[in-house]
Amino acid sequence: MTDQSSPCNTSNTLTLTDTSTAKGVGIQFFHKDDPKAIVYGPDNTADRTE
């Protein structure tokens, strides 16, 4: 998954847009019962990735 607000983000927290008025907020996603948050990265052109 890629962070649209910050495509170079390789952390596990999505960032807010530059125009957001919220402060100190981040979003994490988890897959089923995995306790580790999904890590973001740049777009991948490999098969079966979106």
Side-chain angles (χ1 to χ4, degrees):
M1 291 175 60
T2 301
D3 183 342
Q4 183 178 346
S5 298
S6 180
C8 295
N9 180 3
T10 57
S11 75
N12 64 5
T13 306
L14 287 175
T15 55
L16 299 170
T17 64
D18 292 338
T19 59
S20 176
T21 58
K23 302 289 181 210
V25 176
I27 299 171
Q28 293 181 315
F29 290 96
F30 295 83
H31 185 263
K32 296 190 179 183
D33 295 327
D34 190 344
K36 295 178 287 182
I38 292 172
V39 176
Y40 302 96
D43 282 342
N44 187 347
T45 58
D47 287 344
R48 300 177 56 85
T49 62
E50 295 181 23

